[in-house]
């Protein structure tokens, strides 16, 4: 869970920085408070759900695909992986 959240937060920060958004403008776009966006940009994302981070990415113009498929027979349990384009 934490690794995925870290990857999502890092991607959000990358897009915000690449666009040269102020924290105030980013907070407006993302529908977050400025202290919360400030925390996310510093990689502190406790208290914010993975779902909310995914929503931030869609608000930043990213398509998010969640794909559920059977695991290969050699692996009894599935795994969660995140690929960021």
């Amino acid at each position: 869970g934490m690794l995925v959240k870290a990857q999502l937060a890092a991607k959000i920060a990358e897009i915000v920085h690449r666009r040269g958004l102020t924290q105030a403008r980013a907070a407006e776009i993302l529908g977050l408070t400025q202290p919360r966006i400030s925390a996310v940009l510093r990689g502190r994302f406790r208290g914010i759900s993975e779902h909310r981070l995914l929503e931030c990415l869609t608000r930043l113009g990213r398509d998010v695909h969640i794909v559920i498929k059977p695991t290969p027979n050699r692996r009894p349990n599935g795994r969660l992986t995140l690929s960021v384009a």
Side-chain angles (χ1 to χ4, degrees):
M2 279 299 158
L3 176 62
V4 169
K5 284 171 95 167
Q7 289 176 290
L8 294 172
K11 189 64 182 178
I12 290 164
E14 180 194 313
I15 296 165
V16 167
H17 292 311
R18 192 182 317 135
R19 287 199 191 169
L21 299 173
T22 63
Q23 285 189 7
R25 183 69 187 118
E28 218 173 89
I29 292 169
L30 301 177
L32 293 172
T33 63
Q34 199 171 330
R36 174 75 31 113
I37 189 65
S38 172
V40 169
L41 295 179
R42 290 195 319 269
R44 299 191 186 132
F45 37 79
R46 289 195 185 284
I48 185 164
S49 67
E50 283 180 23
H51 183 271
R52 193 68 185 77
L53 292 170
L54 292 169
E55 189 186 314
C56 286
L57 287 166
T58 63
R59 286 180 181 221
L60 288 167
R62 292 298 184 274
D63 284 336
V64 175
H65 300 266
I66 296 174
V67 179
I68 299 169
K69 61 183 184 181
T71 59
N73 289 336
R74 64 184 176 278
R75 259 198 300 114
N77 292 326
R79 65 177 170 221
L80 177 62
T81 48
L82 182 69
S83 61
V84 182

